[in-house]
Structure formats: structure tokens, C-alpha cells
Amino acid sequence: MLSTRRLLRIRLFFEGALVGIFTGIIVAALRFLLDEADIYRPIIFAHVDSFGKIFPAIGVMILIAAILSAAIKFDSQVAGSGIPQLKGILQGRTQMIKPLRLLAVKFFATVAAIGAGMSLGRAGISVQFGAAVGNFFTRIIYRDNAQHEAVEGNFLLTAGAGAGLAAIFNAPLAGVIFCIEELRKRFSQEILIAAVTASVIASFVVKMVFGVRPVFETITASPLHLPTVTTIPTLEMATTLSAAPVKFFVLFMLLGILCGIFGAMFSKSLLGALDVYDRLKIFGTRRFAIPLLLAIPIGVELPEILGCGNVLVDELLITHNALTLLLILLAGKIFYTLICFGTNAPGGLFLPVLTIGALIGNVFARTGNSLHIFTADWTTLFIIFGMAAFFAAVVKAPITGSILILELTGQFSHLVGLIVVSGAAFMISDLCGGEPIFSALLKRSKDNTH
């Protein structure tokens, strides 16, 4: 006869598969709508080219602000990225009241907010959606067994969260690592079985809809889209003490330090943005109207910084922008992300963080090019490494960030470089007082309830 633990693992395998299927379907629908918004948003803003056409745009933005305000009043868990709330649930501090209601309301609120141009991400939302799916099936399967619901419910909640991340990025391994590194902070075979099953199947469902097309399409246009780069420094090369690998490892360290400093400042600024809105007592429709109305002039003059940022990353990978423009895009993306995130609108941080990291890496590369330290062939590599480093500095999940980039690029020969740059960013961010952003947001929400 099978032992109790083996039966648990078998159940978790099939339950994880069920969670993965439905999470994949929901995330695929979310991604489709937001991809369509990325296509049509610039076209719409391009037509706001006269004074008379501004008034209808203002009316639409105020209407969306009212919808977001009403959605959050209807269900408070609609606010924010959802990952801090999920961490609170796993720590037993709160619970998910009505998962289906949360899924429905937050789905349309997220499409409205990001579709209108708010600089927020969709990965955190996908993580929460997957967790809601896991919670929903736990209640159905174990509605008459409170003990199993308590134990296996957390496994399915975690597995669903990983499936959400895996589905939005087509990165199943990153979804599994995220469950262990960021959500649970520990390893168990039960978590692994449920998370692997759910993540792989959710990613497969999304691939059935979109093919192998990733969120950042240009990254895998060719295996990495690194023109003429034939030699990437590895640990074995570094031991030879040849000049090129040593130089590039020093550059990776410098990029990591730069991202670590910026990451710590950005994390503190995100918390500060939330505090500013609260101190000024800007609530309700007015709170969301600020970034939405600001999206109109930004959409007319600098539409690249609107939305999640995946389109901007694709442009960076194929366009040789001037350093001045890159600095403007970097400052604009940071500034507008802070304004949007401070409202606590439904939307995550992963994609904006990756986009800002890509901009930092591009600025670093352009500076190195202008100083003749290295050739332009290395620009794409520094963009990608900047994404991993800034992610490590803000989210404080360097393994998840590195694995995510490896899956997106398909180039595991970059592992050593990613470890160097992510480790340096993580360490410097920690020395600068940067907290893991989702833990800091959870702590802030706890403090505000007392």
C-alpha cells in the first residue's frame, strides 16, 4: 500500500496540473488583451494631436480612474500587485476571501489600468491569479476536510503562484524557483511536485495560444540576438587571466554595483510614493486620475514609457539610441512608475523593474562604447544583464532573476556572468539599506492596519 506522504504527492501532481491548466488560460487571456493594448495605445494617442481632442481623452481617463476606485472599494485585494497579499496569506496573517470575485474584478481592473498606459507590470498580477486559482480548487476539493484544506491549500496556492509567473514569461523553471526563493523561503518535495507540474502545464497552455513567442520577443528572435558576439567570458576563461575576460568581469561587477545603488533608491522611492499619496490625503478617483491624466501628454510626446515596458525593451535591443534619449527614457520610466505605483492601482512591478534594468544596462553600454572600452556588439548583453541585476537589487530574488533571464535568452553560457552581476547588485542594495520590496510592502500594510 502507498504511504500517506506518497498519496499526498500523487494528489498534488494531479491537482497541480489542474491549477496549471486554468492559470494558463487566464494568464493567456490577460496577456492577449494587454498585447493588443500595446498595439493600439500609441495609435490612439497619436490622434490626440489637437486641443479639441484632448477633452474626450480626459473624460475617458477620469472614467477609468472612477472604475479603478470602485473596484478597490468592492474588493480591497484588487489593489497593488498581489504578491505582498499572497505572502501575508502564506504567513497566516490574512486569507483570500472570495478567489473568483478577486479574479474577475482584478482581471478587468488590470486591463483598464495598464491598457490605459499606467506603468505597472502584469507578472505580479499573474502570480496572484494563479494563487487564486489554487485557492479556488482547494476549497472545492477539500471543502469537507479542513485538515487537508489547510495543508494542501498552501501547496496549491504556492503552485498556482509559480504557474502564473511561468505562464506570463513562458519560463516554467523561473516560476518554480520563485515559489521556493521568494514565497516559501524553504524547499520541500511536495512544493516542488505541485509547483513544477503547475508551472510546466501553465507555460504549455500559453505556448499553445502564443506559440514560443516570449514577452520580450526580440530576445529570442535569434538564439540571443547578440550580433557578432562570439566569446562570452566564462569562469574557465577567467582563470587564464587573459585581459578580455578579466575586463568584462570587472564591467559586470561595475554594472551590478550601479544597479544595486539604483535598486535600493528605487525600492525606498516606491514606498515613499505610497506615503506621499497618503500624506496628501489623495484617495478615490482623484488618486488614480493623477497618473492617468499624466498619461495623455506622455502618450503624445514619449509613448515608450507607458505600459509594462516589454515593448520598450524590444526596441532597446534593436535600436541604437543616443545616450541623451536613453537618459530621458530612464528618468521618465522611473518617475512615471513611481507615480503609478504610489496609487496602489492593480498592477505589478516585475516588468517595470526589468525595463528600468534594461535602460540602465543600455546607458552603461552606450557610455562604455563612447569611451571605447568595448564595442557596440556587447550592448545587448549589458541590457540583458542590467535586467537581471536590477531585478536582484529590488526584488532581492537573484536566483529567480537569473533563471528568468536564462530561460528568456536560452543561453546558459551566461550563467557565470549573471551570477556575478546579480550577486553584486544584491550585495550593494543590501549595504545601501534596500529591503526586499514585497516584504517591505507587506510590512507597510501591516503597520497601516495597527
Side-chain angles (χ1 to χ4, degrees):
M1 293 181 63
L2 294 174
S3 66
T4 302
R5 192 169 184 184
R6 285 178 178 172
L7 285 173
L8 171 61
R9 293 172 183 170
I10 293 171
R11 288 200 306 269
L12 286 174
F13 174 82
F14 288 104
E15 291 163 3
L18 190 64
V19 170
I21 291 170
F22 282 90
T23 298
I25 292 170
I26 294 168
V27 172
L30 176 69
R31 180 175 164 184
F32 172 79
L33 291 173
L34 292 180
D35 282 350
E36 291 298 299
D38 286 336
I39 294 171
Y40 290 106
R41 188 193 309 115
I43 299 172
I44 293 171
F45 279 120
H47 285 83
V48 186
D49 54 0
S50 65
F51 186 73
K53 294 180 181 179
I54 290 178
F55 291 105
I58 291 174
V60 170
M61 291 303 187
I62 292 175
L63 176 61
I64 293 174
I67 291 172
L68 294 178
S69 178
I72 291 175
K73 285 180 181 178
F74 184 66
D75 189 338
S76 61
Q77 290 186 330
V78 170
S81 75
I83 294 179
Q85 296 96 312
L86 178 57
K87 289 171 71 71
I89 293 170
L90 291 171
Q91 293 173 13
R93 296 172 177 173
T94 183
Q95 59 181 339
M96 193 175 290
I97 307 298
K98 295 182 178 180
L100 281 184
R101 184 180 75 179
L102 171 64
L103 274 170
V105 177
K106 191 155 189 171
F107 184 94
F108 290 105
T110 301
V111 171
I114 301 176
M118 293 184 75
S119 181
L120 299 167
R122 50 191 176 181
I125 300 295
S126 301
V127 167
Q128 190 180 24
F129 285 172
V133 171
N135 184 269
F136 173 72
F137 281 112
T138 298
R139 295 184 181 203
I140 291 179
I141 297 170
Y142 300 109
R143 60 180 179 272
D144 297 323
N145 193 324
Q147 182 179 359
H148 279 296
E149 182 177 354
V151 175
E152 296 182 38
N154 277 351
F155 291 146
L156 291 187
L157 196 79
T158 306
L165 185 66
I168 200 65
F169 285 115
N170 276 352
L173 185 55
V176 175
I177 298 298
F178 177 75
C179 291
I180 298 170
E181 183 181 28
E182 175 62 20
L183 295 181
R184 301 294 297 212
K185 307 278 187 194
R186 65 184 180 86
F187 174 84
S188 76
Q189 292 181 343
E190 288 73 23
I191 292 173
L192 187 63
I193 290 170
V196 168
T197 306
S199 296
V200 169
I201 291 181
S203 182
F204 176 75
V205 170
V206 172
K207 285 180 180 178
M208 288 179 64
V209 178
F210 294 98
V212 295
R213 180 163 57 95
V215 170
F216 302 113
E217 294 184 43
T218 311
I219 286 182
T220 53
S222 62
L224 180 58
H225 204 276
L226 277 179
T228 71
V229 175
T230 57
T231 307
I232 295 175
T234 63
L235 187 59
E236 182 181 355
M237 291 170 63
T239 58
T240 66
L241 298 180
S242 60
V246 171
K247 177 178 74 173
F248 279 102
F249 271 106
V250 171
L251 289 171
F252 294 158
M253 288 289 293
L254 289 175
L255 178 59
I257 291 169
L258 182 65
C259 287
I261 295 170
F262 271 92
M265 294 170 59
F266 183 72
S267 297
K268 294 175 183 178
S269 298
L270 287 171
L271 300 172
L274 289 163
D275 293 336
V276 168
Y277 276 97
D278 291 347
R279 281 199 300 268
L280 295 177
K281 300 188 184 303
I282 303 174
F283 301 108
T285 301
R286 291 183 304 153
R287 192 176 182 111
F288 305 107
I290 292 173
L292 287 169
L293 291 175
L294 190 58
I296 297 174
I298 293 175
V300 173
E301 298 296 333
L302 206 64
E304 295 91 339
I305 68 174
L306 296 181
C308 299
N310 50 299
V311 175
L312 176 55
V313 173
D314 284 333
E315 291 179 1
L316 293 177
L317 291 165
I318 60 177
T319 307
H320 190 71
N321 293 306
L323 183 58
T324 303
L325 177 59
L326 290 174
L327 291 171
I328 292 172
L329 289 171
L330 176 59
K333 189 64 177 177
I334 291 174
F335 176 72
Y336 191 55
T337 300
L338 293 176
I339 290 177
C340 293
F341 190 82
T343 65
N344 212 21
L349 273 175
F350 277 40
L351 276 171
V353 164
L354 291 172
T355 303
I356 293 169
L359 284 164
I360 293 173
N362 204 346
V363 169
F364 185 87
R366 291 288 292 116
T367 304
N369 293 343
S370 62
L371 296 175
H372 305 291
I373 298 174
F374 49 84
T375 64
D377 293 337
W378 291 86
T379 299
T380 300
L381 187 64
F382 283 110
I383 290 173
I384 292 170
F385 278 28
M387 293 165 67
F390 198 69
F391 185 93
V394 175
V395 181
K396 292 296 188 72
I399 300 176
T400 299
S402 298
I403 294 297
L404 176 62
I405 297 301
L406 287 176
E407 287 191 279
L408 288 174
T409 61
Q411 295 289 314
F412 284 81
S413 59
H414 296 156
L415 179 59
V416 174
L418 284 168
I419 290 173
V420 170
V421 73
S422 298
F426 181 92
M427 180 183 65
I428 295 300
S429 176
D430 199 52
L431 291 174
C432 293
E435 297 181 72
I437 187 60
F438 296 121
S439 297
L441 289 169
L442 175 61
K443 181 174 179 291
R444 182 184 182 278
S445 66
K446 270 180 28 185
D447 293 342
N448 288 344
T449 56
H450 294 321

